[in-house]
Amino acid sequence: VFPYEDPIDVAELLELDEPLELSAQEIKELLGPQVSEDRRERIAAVVGERTYGVIPVMEGLYDLGNVAAVLRSAEAMGYQEVHFIDTQEGQKTSRRVTQGADKWVDLNQWESTTECVQALKDRGYKICVTHLEAAKPLREIDFTVPTALVFGNEQKGVSEEMVELADERCIIPMLGFVESFNISVAAALSLYEAMGQRIEKFGAQGDLSPEEQEILEAHFLIRAVKTAPLLLPGLVRRGMGKGDESPQAD
Ligand SMILES: C[S@@+](CC[C@H](N)C(=O)[O-])C[C@H]1O[C@@H](n2cnc3c(N)ncnc32)[C@H](O)[C@@H]1O
């Protein structure tokens, strides 16, 4: 379920005019010196806690504050990939969401529920919708197998189409008078439960192999060094960035 390859197509990633493909190790050698040692260590530590094992999916959310809150919770708990299905007609959601997205999370955007679900199923994820009707309690869901966890619109919840396509439904038990949680609260509670199960079973939330961690570190370095699109082609031409004198760019 890890989505990146080595070597990395840097030209496509950074929209460069000329072809440029580099291995993760080469990118680390070239861009590593552009950030401080503390920053490098922090990137490595964060990558060590990352997982693609559970993927939060937001369907048709209206409030961009909620979208941002879910992204923030997901990032803070080590979930590296988040999907957003933009089914709100008339809302210029996509562009604004992209701009506000946390730069350390892989945000995939879709215009249709079917396409998103199919892509996730093709990658081996079961689809679990958070839903208030005919649903299993959250704790009975197995989050130690690849799972896409879907959250719905603030008023309407998840779509009927999504409910039909899903493999299972889950509910966070409601013990008070109110009928539902705010979406971002529901997401935080569910993602925390999933993280707890994963830590209990695997000993940690992060589950990337050393090779995958190196690739993700290279991607994070590209995101960290704002001037990477200008720097990388020049550094490659000059031979692996040794003795580079450019200022720290993080
Ligand atoms: C405010 S709720 C939507 C309520 C809507 N009336 C419904 O029937 O689904 C927004 C989203 O938060 C999540 N949610 C809120 N409370 C939940 C709960 N107790 N169990 C599971 N999901 C919940 C679901 O993803 C839901 O689609």
PDB file of all heavy atoms in Angstrom, residues 67-83:
ATOM      1  N   VAL A  67     -12.367  20.275   7.565  1.00  0.00           N
ATOM      2  CA  VAL A  67     -11.396  19.557   6.724  1.00  0.00           C
ATOM      3  C   VAL A  67      -9.988  19.770   7.285  1.00  0.00           C
ATOM      4  O   VAL A  67      -9.220  18.823   7.465  1.00  0.00           O
ATOM      5  CB  VAL A  67     -11.471  20.043   5.249  1.00  0.00           C
ATOM      6  CG1 VAL A  67     -10.389  19.365   4.408  1.00  0.00           C
ATOM      7  CG2 VAL A  67     -12.850  19.778   4.667  1.00  0.00           C
ATOM      8  N   ALA A  68      -9.687  21.023   7.597  1.00  0.00           N
ATOM      9  CA  ALA A  68      -8.354  21.344   8.125  1.00  0.00           C
ATOM     10  C   ALA A  68      -8.125  20.639   9.468  1.00  0.00           C
ATOM     11  O   ALA A  68      -7.036  20.132   9.738  1.00  0.00           O
ATOM     12  CB  ALA A  68      -8.207  22.850   8.290  1.00  0.00           C
ATOM     13  N   ALA A  69      -9.184  20.579  10.300  1.00  0.00           N
ATOM     14  CA  ALA A  69      -9.040  19.942  11.618  1.00  0.00           C
ATOM     15  C   ALA A  69      -8.769  18.442  11.466  1.00  0.00           C
ATOM     16  O   ALA A  69      -7.937  17.881  12.187  1.00  0.00           O
ATOM     17  CB  ALA A  69     -10.294  20.174  12.455  1.00  0.00           C
ATOM     18  N   VAL A  70      -9.447  17.793  10.519  1.00  0.00           N
ATOM     19  CA  VAL A  70      -9.221  16.350  10.311  1.00  0.00           C
ATOM     20  C   VAL A  70      -7.798  16.117   9.794  1.00  0.00           C
ATOM     21  O   VAL A  70      -7.083  15.221  10.263  1.00  0.00           O
ATOM     22  CB  VAL A  70     -10.262  15.750   9.324  1.00  0.00           C
ATOM     23  CG1 VAL A  70      -9.932  14.297   9.013  1.00  0.00           C
ATOM     24  CG2 VAL A  70     -11.671  15.860   9.904  1.00  0.00           C
ATOM     25  N   LEU A  71      -7.368  16.961   8.855  1.00  0.00           N
ATOM     26  CA  LEU A  71      -6.002  16.828   8.333  1.00  0.00           C
ATOM     27  C   LEU A  71      -4.977  16.969   9.457  1.00  0.00           C
ATOM     28  O   LEU A  71      -4.016  16.205   9.541  1.00  0.00           O
ATOM     29  CB  LEU A  71      -5.719  17.916   7.292  1.00  0.00           C
ATOM     30  CG  LEU A  71      -6.236  17.657   5.880  1.00  0.00           C
ATOM     31  CD1 LEU A  71      -6.056  18.899   5.014  1.00  0.00           C
ATOM     32  CD2 LEU A  71      -5.492  16.477   5.257  1.00  0.00           C
ATOM     33  N   ARG A  72      -5.231  17.920  10.320  1.00  0.00           N
ATOM     34  CA  ARG A  72      -4.298  18.178  11.422  1.00  0.00           C
ATOM     35  C   ARG A  72      -4.240  16.990  12.382  1.00  0.00           C
ATOM     36  O   ARG A  72      -3.160  16.548  12.786  1.00  0.00           O
ATOM     37  CB  ARG A  72      -4.754  19.442  12.146  1.00  0.00           C
ATOM     38  CG  ARG A  72      -3.814  19.912  13.196  1.00  0.00           C
ATOM     39  CD  ARG A  72      -4.247  21.258  13.702  1.00  0.00           C
ATOM     40  NE  ARG A  72      -3.410  21.667  14.812  1.00  0.00           N
ATOM     41  CZ  ARG A  72      -3.243  22.914  15.170  1.00  0.00           C
ATOM     42  NH1 ARG A  72      -3.839  23.879  14.527  1.00  0.00           N
ATOM     43  NH2 ARG A  72      -2.466  23.211  16.194  1.00  0.00           N
ATOM     44  N   SER A  73      -5.422  16.449  12.731  1.00  0.00           N
ATOM     45  CA  SER A  73      -5.437  15.282  13.629  1.00  0.00           C
ATOM     46  C   SER A  73      -4.756  14.091  12.964  1.00  0.00           C
ATOM     47  O   SER A  73      -3.994  13.359  13.605  1.00  0.00           O
ATOM     48  CB  SER A  73      -6.873  14.887  13.974  1.00  0.00           C
ATOM     49  OG  SER A  73      -7.520  15.930  14.637  1.00  0.00           O
ATOM     50  N   ALA A  74      -5.049  13.887  11.679  1.00  0.00           N
ATOM     51  CA  ALA A  74      -4.465  12.749  10.960  1.00  0.00           C
ATOM     52  C   ALA A  74      -2.936  12.865  10.969  1.00  0.00           C
ATOM     53  O   ALA A  74      -2.221  11.902  11.286  1.00  0.00           O
ATOM     54  CB  ALA A  74      -4.995  12.693   9.531  1.00  0.00           C
ATOM     55  N   GLU A  75      -2.444  14.047  10.650  1.00  0.00           N
ATOM     56  CA  GLU A  75      -0.995  14.246  10.589  1.00  0.00           C
ATOM     57  C   GLU A  75      -0.368  14.008  11.960  1.00  0.00           C
ATOM     58  O   GLU A  75       0.640  13.320  12.093  1.00  0.00           O
ATOM     59  CB  GLU A  75      -0.683  15.665  10.092  1.00  0.00           C
ATOM     60  CG  GLU A  75       0.741  15.869   9.584  1.00  0.00           C
ATOM     61  CD  GLU A  75       1.789  16.022  10.673  1.00  0.00           C
ATOM     62  OE1 GLU A  75       1.458  16.530  11.779  1.00  0.00           O
ATOM     63  OE2 GLU A  75       2.937  15.616  10.456  1.00  0.00           O
ATOM     64  N   ALA A  76      -1.017  14.538  12.993  1.00  0.00           N
ATOM     65  CA  ALA A  76      -0.463  14.434  14.344  1.00  0.00           C
ATOM     66  C   ALA A  76      -0.404  12.984  14.833  1.00  0.00           C
ATOM     67  O   ALA A  76       0.410  12.645  15.678  1.00  0.00           O
ATOM     68  CB  ALA A  76      -1.295  15.273  15.313  1.00  0.00           C
ATOM     69  N   MET A  77      -1.274  12.132  14.277  1.00  0.00           N
ATOM     70  CA  MET A  77      -1.295  10.725  14.714  1.00  0.00           C
ATOM     71  C   MET A  77      -0.575   9.805  13.726  1.00  0.00           C
ATOM     72  O   MET A  77      -0.683   8.581  13.851  1.00  0.00           O
ATOM     73  CB  MET A  77      -2.740  10.265  14.939  1.00  0.00           C
ATOM     74  CG  MET A  77      -3.346  10.864  16.197  1.00  0.00           C
ATOM     75  SD  MET A  77      -4.982  10.182  16.562  1.00  0.00           S
ATOM     76  CE  MET A  77      -6.030  11.505  16.033  1.00  0.00           C
ATOM     77  N   GLY A  78       0.120  10.360  12.771  1.00  0.00           N
ATOM     78  CA  GLY A  78       0.978   9.535  11.902  1.00  0.00           C
ATOM     79  C   GLY A  78       0.338   8.982  10.646  1.00  0.00           C
ATOM     80  O   GLY A  78       0.957   8.188   9.943  1.00  0.00           O
ATOM     81  N   TYR A  79      -0.912   9.411  10.356  1.00  0.00           N
ATOM     82  CA  TYR A  79      -1.559   8.921   9.133  1.00  0.00           C
ATOM     83  C   TYR A  79      -1.035   9.735   7.950  1.00  0.00           C
ATOM     84  O   TYR A  79      -1.221  10.940   7.898  1.00  0.00           O
ATOM     85  CB  TYR A  79      -3.085   9.028   9.242  1.00  0.00           C
ATOM     86  CG  TYR A  79      -3.629   8.208  10.385  1.00  0.00           C
ATOM     87  CD1 TYR A  79      -3.942   8.784  11.613  1.00  0.00           C
ATOM     88  CD2 TYR A  79      -3.786   6.833  10.251  1.00  0.00           C
ATOM     89  CE1 TYR A  79      -4.419   8.023  12.678  1.00  0.00           C
ATOM     90  CE2 TYR A  79      -4.258   6.062  11.315  1.00  0.00           C
ATOM     91  CZ  TYR A  79      -4.571   6.665  12.514  1.00  0.00           C
ATOM     92  OH  TYR A  79      -5.034   5.909  13.568  1.00  0.00           O
ATOM     93  N   GLN A  80      -0.363   9.063   7.009  1.00  0.00           N
ATOM     94  CA  GLN A  80       0.344   9.792   5.964  1.00  0.00           C
ATOM     95  C   GLN A  80      -0.536  10.152   4.773  1.00  0.00           C
ATOM     96  O   GLN A  80      -0.228  11.060   4.031  1.00  0.00           O
ATOM     97  CB  GLN A  80       1.573   8.976   5.503  1.00  0.00           C
ATOM     98  CG  GLN A  80       2.434   9.631   4.444  1.00  0.00           C
ATOM     99  CD  GLN A  80       2.918  11.023   4.845  1.00  0.00           C
ATOM    100  OE1 GLN A  80       3.146  11.310   6.020  1.00  0.00           O
ATOM    101  NE2 GLN A  80       3.067  11.898   3.861  1.00  0.00           N
ATOM    102  N   GLU A  81      -1.634   9.399   4.579  1.00  0.00           N
ATOM    103  CA  GLU A  81      -2.459   9.663   3.390  1.00  0.00           C
ATOM    104  C   GLU A  81      -3.898   9.973   3.812  1.00  0.00           C
ATOM    105  O   GLU A  81      -4.461   9.293   4.662  1.00  0.00           O
ATOM    106  CB  GLU A  81      -2.426   8.428   2.488  1.00  0.00           C
ATOM    107  CG  GLU A  81      -3.123   8.617   1.154  1.00  0.00           C
ATOM    108  CD  GLU A  81      -2.853   7.457   0.202  1.00  0.00           C
ATOM    109  OE1 GLU A  81      -1.701   7.008   0.084  1.00  0.00           O
ATOM    110  OE2 GLU A  81      -3.828   6.993  -0.424  1.00  0.00           O
ATOM    111  N   VAL A  82      -4.459  11.005   3.204  1.00  0.00           N
ATOM    112  CA  VAL A  82      -5.850  11.384   3.475  1.00  0.00           C
ATOM    113  C   VAL A  82      -6.544  11.608   2.130  1.00  0.00           C
ATOM    114  O   VAL A  82      -5.936  12.142   1.205  1.00  0.00           O
ATOM    115  CB  VAL A  82      -5.923  12.691   4.316  1.00  0.00           C
ATOM    116  CG1 VAL A  82      -7.368  13.114   4.533  1.00  0.00           C
ATOM    117  CG2 VAL A  82      -5.216  12.524   5.662  1.00  0.00           C
ATOM    118  N   HIS A  83      -7.809  11.166   2.031  1.00  0.00           N
ATOM    119  CA  HIS A  83      -8.561  11.412   0.798  1.00  0.00           C
ATOM    120  C   HIS A  83      -9.710  12.370   1.075  1.00  0.00           C
ATOM    121  O   HIS A  83     -10.301  12.346   2.154  1.00  0.00           O
ATOM    122  CB  HIS A  83      -9.102  10.102   0.228  1.00  0.00           C
ATOM    123  CG  HIS A  83      -8.023   9.231  -0.344  1.00  0.00           C
ATOM    124  ND1 HIS A  83      -8.054   8.744  -1.624  1.00  0.00           N
ATOM    125  CD2 HIS A  83      -6.869   8.781   0.190  1.00  0.00           C
ATOM    126  CE1 HIS A  83      -6.969   8.021  -1.852  1.00  0.00           C
ATOM    127  NE2 HIS A  83      -6.238   8.028  -0.755  1.00  0.00           N
TER     128      HIS A  83
END
